[in-house]
């Protein structure tokens, strides 16, 4: 899967479902399709949030740890939250992780 943004095209940074399952503490294959979808959604959201701060040279091996961890966190949140509001908001933690990578803007 390749992600295209207005300025860069990136390969998927974190696409190995087995890695996601380790993070989620899941064994077995019953939820692989759901995890795959949430993993792609999380990466798209994180890279969209970073916007022009995304480095077009990033790969799964070279992307900053904070960026890949934010993808992990959002994947877990999306997997656990089924729309009932039972999960605490993960975005403040993600914002803190990514603050050093996001270009500041003035409104």
């Amino acid at each position: 899967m390749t992600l295209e943004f207005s300025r860069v095209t990136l390969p998927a940074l974190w696409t190995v479902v087995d890695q996601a399952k380790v993070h989620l503490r899941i064994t077995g294959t019953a939820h692989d399709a759901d995890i795959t979808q949430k993993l792609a959604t999380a990466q798209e959201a994180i890279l969209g949030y970073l916007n022009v701060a995304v480095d077009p040279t990033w790969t799964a091996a070279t992307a900053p740890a904070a960026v890949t961890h934010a993808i992990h966190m959002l994947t877990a949140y999306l997997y656990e939250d089924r729309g009932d509001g039972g999960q605490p908001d993960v975005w403040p933690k993600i914002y803190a992780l990514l603050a050093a990578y996001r270009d500041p803007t003035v409104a």
Side-chain angles (χ1 to χ4, degrees):
M1 174 183 79
T2 301
L3 299 175
E4 293 187 27
F5 293 91
S6 60
R7 137 180 134 78
V8 296
T9 300
L10 286 175
L13 296 178
W14 196 55
T15 59
V16 180
V17 173
D18 289 340
Q19 290 174 327
K21 287 166 55 174
V22 167
H23 182 77
L24 294 168
R25 297 184 179 109
I26 295 172
T27 58
T29 59
H31 301 278
D32 284 5
D34 189 34
I35 294 167
T36 299
Q37 185 270 328
K38 286 170 176 45
L39 183 59
T41 300
Q43 178 170 302
E44 185 177 317
I46 296 300
L47 296 180
Y49 172 73
L50 289 172
N51 196 2
V52 297
V54 173
D55 185 332
T57 65
W58 286 348
T59 66
T62 64
V67 173
T68 56
H69 188 67
I71 294 168
H72 297 199
M73 289 175 63
L74 189 54
T75 300
Y77 174 81
L78 294 172
Y79 182 78
E80 295 295 328
D81 184 60
R82 302 297 179 185
D84 59 3
Q87 297 295 318
D89 186 8
V90 71
W91 279 101
K93 293 176 182 178
I94 290 173
Y95 295 149
L97 271 175
L98 300 178
Y101 300 97
R102 184 152 156 77
D103 289 341
T105 58
V106 178

